[in-house]
Amino acid sequence: MQKTFVVVFAFCTFFCVKAQDSIPTVPKLIYTTKPLKDNVVPVIDGTVDDQAWGLVDWSSEFIEREPDENTPPSEQSKFKILYDDKFLYVAYRCYDSNPEKIEKRLSRRDGFAGDRMAIIIDSYHDKRTAFSFTTTAAGVKGDEFVSQNGDNWDDSWNPIWYTASNIDSEGWTAEAKIPFSQLKFGKAKEQIWGLQVTRLFFREQERSVWQRVPQDAPGFISEFGELHGLMDIEPQKQLEIQPFLVKQYDTYPAETGNPFRDGTDFRLNGGLDAKIGITNDLTLDLTVNPDFGQVEADPGAIALDGFQIFFQEQRPFFVENKNIFDYEFANGNDNVFYSRRIGRSPQGFPSLNDGEFVDVPNNTTILGAAKFSGKTKNGWSIGLLESVTGKMFAEIDNNGQRREELVEPFTNYLVGRLQKDFNERNSFIGGIFTATNRKLEANLEFLHKAAYTGGIDFRHSWKNRNYFIEGNIVTSHVTGSPEAILRTQESLTHLFQRTDASHVEVDPNRTSLTGTGGKINFGKVGGGNWRYETGGFWRSPGLELNDVGFLRQADDIRQFANLQYRFLKPTKLLRTANLSVRQSSAFDFEGNYNRIQYDFRGFINYANNWFTEGGATHKPRIFTNTTLRGGPRWRFSEENFYFVFAGTDRSKKFNATVGYVNSQAKQDNFSLVRYVLRTRYQPFDAFSLSLNFEYEENPSKTQYITERDFSGTPRYILGEIDQRTFITTLRFNYSINPNLSIQFYGQPFISRGTYTNFNFVNNSIAKDLSERITIYNPNQISQSVEGNFLIDEDLDANTDYEFDNPDFSFVQFRSNLVMRWEYIPGSEVFLVWSQGVTGLGDPADSLGRTLDNQIFGQKRDNTFLLKATYRFVL
């Protein structure tokens, strides 16, 4: 394996040095705007015939970017820009030889459906971040904060601005009015901003741009043209206050004798959000008693491997500007800051006596939070977040006698982030610091009293940003009682108690734990058809981030190398395509060689805009330190994995994607078969419907169940599982107009697992499966009246140990029906109806019968919610 790593590393290094230079730099276009005169401003009605527009000329140098880069577009476009002391004004003219075919699809804000134009402004002029304002032919607005040089588009950013569109005999036109308060820039005699204007000609799925960006460019924002002529405009300090009021009514099946589940609840809640411009560059966001009732429910999921499940952040306060606070230091979802920790479900649970009932809060109350963030003109990115969550109590009833028990302590969360650009914005260096401090009481001593992390990251690019090197390092330190630190040492993330590990050991007297992690990689991201990257990362055994970050596994060292070839010019058969190969390997800090795998991926977008993507993975070596939950390293049999997906033209009113995933391990150790069908239908401009199906079979002969003791020897008990999962997701959107829409989301989720052929670990690292496990023979295993499995391993007619029946059938249904009305820009009314049911079915039932009995046949929890906000702009 070490030879493989050396060869791959040398190969990528050679290409990094010897690869072809990028094509010559594309000349930068400049658009020079002018100020409005005599207070004559254009009326934002979608037509472009106002007298004010005569002050500047049209700019119409649009060039195709996709699919046939650097060719004339099918239909030309042009734009104008004006300004006054408060606003930037934009006019568009989009020619179309068949105006009746213009796709004017309605959607809610940020739906990005149909023909559309966007102006993208790099007002920081840092060549990495920008503000995007999109107007569709139907007059729907979309807005995104763009970061990572165009790799990340965040549509959670919702500034106040104004737009309208109009269709005429020549095509369609649009106007936009953007307050300077919604942009960020420093004080200067003349502002020089990065500028791009793009058009999507929807029925041909053709994208044209004002400033040419070659397909082999290393990024998007760094290639922008420039906006000149903004003279003596003053940075506008943003001041917005948005109070809200929520009325919520819950109904659910009443539980006999349970005073906390009498069938109905009514709540009235209120709070305040504010946005204060400390300077034009830096904004202070405040929230007091925030409500997230209109947020879509998390998708259904179940994890048999014991690891926590990562869910995307959907709460507006934490989503906006989240790019500033991101610190992805290794791979996947590993992040120093995971905002879902703030307001999490209480971590304690009270002890109950017979006959007692309990009411435990679903989430921790966020008493208040403040977020100070932004980027200065001289390249400083600043983020500071402070949040306080209150004590949470479970209420316990014993025949009318009530008492409370603490289940979550008073907690303070602090996150600080800083980055500085230099080297003409081609490089940056930054750092992060987080702190979690809890005011613990006796029954919550199992939690960390304090948790701190710090990190430094950097990135350097050269040769027109075609080449890069980047890296980061993280260190963590947690403190608490011996009980809390012991719990951390023995958690699935760390597993210091592993029986065959000499480099870690449990210390029951420890009151702190420290660890490190980090990453270093370099490669080529632009210039020509080839891309490549190589590097590695590590997470030491003591690294612990899960108080306010996200970390699945510590004690891990990984190496990776990627190579990709991109087809940049369309042909008669395809619009675009790419092929890539990847190699990776893994070790732990004891030096154990745990994994190596080889991946191949490919994507083709055909000339008719249909697509195919697929890939294959070969894993000749798979060892894990976690499968036996504290036992020795475990070996899985060699695995081969492949997938293929194909889809129709996504611009059509009806489109579909079908997919198939297959994974097979030698000796039938485990397998995975997944079928996917995704459909979307838009019968008319105001209505769209999507329906996604997934069915999965995931059998395994060695699914971990539990650990038991047999005469002083640990027995790691496994079983052959037949697991089947069915997920359906239905969404529809009906837009009455660009500011009034109705959305529905519904998802039934069923996962059933039944076990046979129970066995125990014999030689956990044996290559042959029959040597790895020993199957209980019929004389050794029996089942009690209660359903538990009784094991007489030594056949002496006495039960040596027992374990619960692990069969399961998990059922969940979640739905949201939301009416959203933005009655004035920035102020909204939400009317929400949520339904849900979660329970356990009969594992012996089929998935179809479980769906009927446990979802369609059950009374559901209902929540009716009315939320109103009003945004004061001062």
Side-chain angles (χ1 to χ4, degrees), residues 606-709:
Y606 300 101
N608 64 356
N609 214 31
W610 289 40
F611 72 91
T612 300
E613 61 180 323
T617 300
H618 175 54
K619 303 178 184 178
R621 185 180 184 90
I622 312 172
F623 287 79
T624 78
N625 292 335
T626 60
T627 295
L628 300 183
R629 319 285 173 91
R633 287 171 72 226
W634 170 259
R635 181 173 193 158
F636 283 107
S637 299
E638 180 178 313
E639 177 190 4
N640 290 299
F641 167 89
Y642 69 91
F643 70 91
V644 61
F645 282 76
T648 64
D649 184 352
R650 293 172 180 171
S651 68
K652 303 302 182 183
K653 289 186 179 290
F654 177 83
N655 59 79
T657 299
V658 294
Y660 177 71
V661 180
N662 186 291
S663 174
Q664 297 291 331
K666 284 190 173 182
Q667 298 182 282
D668 292 326
N669 186 172
F670 61 87
S671 66
L672 168 68
V673 177
R674 180 184 299 145
Y675 303 90
V676 178
L677 173 63
R678 301 172 185 151
T679 62
R680 188 179 185 278
Y681 181 47
Q682 185 148 11
F684 52 93
D685 288 336
F687 181 79
S688 65
L689 172 72
S690 69
L691 188 59
N692 299 338
F693 298 92
E694 288 193 27
Y695 172 71
E696 179 180 293
E697 295 181 359
N698 190 13
S700 172
K701 292 182 177 180
T702 56
Q703 175 60 50
Y704 179 83
I705 297 174
T706 189
E707 178 189 349
R708 289 293 183 263
D709 178 78

Side-chain angles (χ1 to χ4, degrees), residues 313-353:
E313 178 61 85
Q314 301 182 72
R315 299 171 295 177
F317 175 83
F318 294 105
V319 169
E320 189 171 354
N321 281 343
K322 66 182 174 63
N323 67 289
I324 290 179
F325 294 91
D326 273 349
Y327 194 100
E328 297 179 2
F329 69 94
N331 72 334
N333 298 314
D334 291 345
N335 207 308
V336 172
F337 177 48
Y338 179 48
S339 55
R340 291 289 294 254
R341 303 292 184 209
I342 303 175
R344 68 198 304 170
S345 298
Q347 299 172 80
F349 194 85
S351 55
L352 299 179
N353 300 316

Side-chain angles (χ1 to χ4, degrees), residues 44-47 92 94 102-117 133-143 161-167 172-177 685 735-740 820 822 825:
I44 306 302
D45 57 7
T47 63
Y92 306 110
C94 304
I102 293 172
E103 290 286 356
K104 48 186 184 299
R105 299 184 183 181
L106 279 168
S107 70
R108 64 166 293 175
R109 183 174 185 162
D110 297 332
F112 303 106
D115 284 279
R116 52 192 184 266
M117 290 285 291
F133 302 86
T134 298
T135 302
T136 76
V140 179
K141 66 174 65 169
D143 26 61
W161 61 291
Y162 311 87
T163 191
S165 62
N166 179 66
I167 295 176
W172 64 282
T173 58
E175 295 172 300
K177 183 172 77 169
D685 288 336
S735 297
I736 300 168
N737 59 52
N739 299 313
L740 178 60
R820 174 186 175 273
E822 189 175 6

Side-chain angles (χ1 to χ4, degrees), residues 214-317:
Q215 286 284 11
D216 66 345
F220 185 61
I221 300 171
S222 58
E223 311 303 305
F224 280 12
E226 292 183 348
L227 175 61
H228 290 200
L230 294 167
M231 306 297 295
D232 297 317
I233 63 171
E234 293 293 328
Q236 306 292 311
K237 293 183 180 181
Q238 191 175 13
L239 179 55
E240 301 171 10
I241 299 174
Q242 188 176 51
F244 65 84
L245 182 68
V246 179
K247 292 183 178 180
Q248 180 174 329
Y249 178 67
D250 298 312
T251 69
Y252 46 84
E255 295 181 13
T256 303
N258 188 344
F260 302 115
R261 300 286 292 179
D262 60 2
T264 61
D265 290 318
F266 178 80
R267 301 173 187 173
L268 181 64
N269 192 23
L272 180 74
D273 296 320
K275 193 179 293 287
I276 304 170
I278 305 302
T279 68
N280 177 257
D281 303 312
L282 302 170
T283 302
L284 178 63
D285 293 270
L286 303 171
T287 185
V288 178
N289 192 31
D291 174 81
F292 307 111
Q294 81 282 5
V295 170
E296 188 174 280
D298 291 322
I302 187 170
L304 296 184
D305 60 7
F307 285 106
Q308 59 187 315
I309 299 173
F310 181 89
F311 290 113
Q312 294 290 339
E313 178 61 85
Q314 301 182 72
R315 299 171 295 177
F317 175 83

Side-chain angles (χ1 to χ4, degrees), residues 76 121 146 161 209 228 266 507 579 639 700 756 764 818:
Q76 190 53 260
I121 300 169
V146 193
W161 61 291
V209 294
H228 290 200
F266 178 80
D507 182 351
L579 299 171
E639 177 190 4
S700 172
T756 57
S764 65
V818 180

Side-chain angles (χ1 to χ4, degrees), residues 66-197:
E66 296 174 357
D68 195 2
E69 199 271 316
N70 200 28
T71 61
S74 300
E75 301 285 356
Q76 190 53 260
S77 313
K78 55 187 182 181
F79 69 93
K80 292 182 176 184
I81 300 176
L82 291 167
Y83 72 97
D84 58 20
D85 58 345
K86 297 285 186 182
F87 299 96
L88 193 74
Y89 300 85
V90 188
Y92 306 110
R93 158 60 71 183
C94 304
Y95 292 102
D96 196 317
S97 54
N98 294 293
E100 68 279 0
K101 293 186 178 181
I102 293 172
E103 290 286 356
K104 48 186 184 299
R105 299 184 183 181
L106 279 168
S107 70
R108 64 166 293 175
R109 183 174 185 162
D110 297 332
F112 303 106
D115 284 279
R116 52 192 184 266
M117 290 285 291
I119 182 170
I120 311 171
I121 300 169
D122 176 12
S123 55
Y124 291 125
H125 211 201
D126 63 3
K127 301 183 180 181
R128 289 211 323 271
T129 58
F131 304 94
S132 177
F133 302 86
T134 298
T135 302
T136 76
V140 179
K141 66 174 65 169
D143 26 61
E144 298 164 288
F145 179 74
V146 193
S147 59
Q148 299 176 20
N149 200 3
D151 286 342
N152 182 56
W153 297 69
D154 182 3
D155 62 8
S156 65
W157 178 61
N158 289 319
I160 294 177
W161 61 291
Y162 311 87
T163 191
S165 62
N166 179 66
I167 295 176
D168 58 26
S169 60
E170 294 183 281
W172 64 282
T173 58
E175 295 172 300
K177 183 172 77 169
I178 302 169
F180 286 133
S181 64
Q182 306 301 299
L183 301 171
K184 306 300 179 185
F185 55 92
K187 190 174 180 64
K189 176 68 176 177
E190 179 183 7
Q191 299 288 333
I192 305 295
W193 294 349
L195 176 67
Q196 181 65 282
V197 183

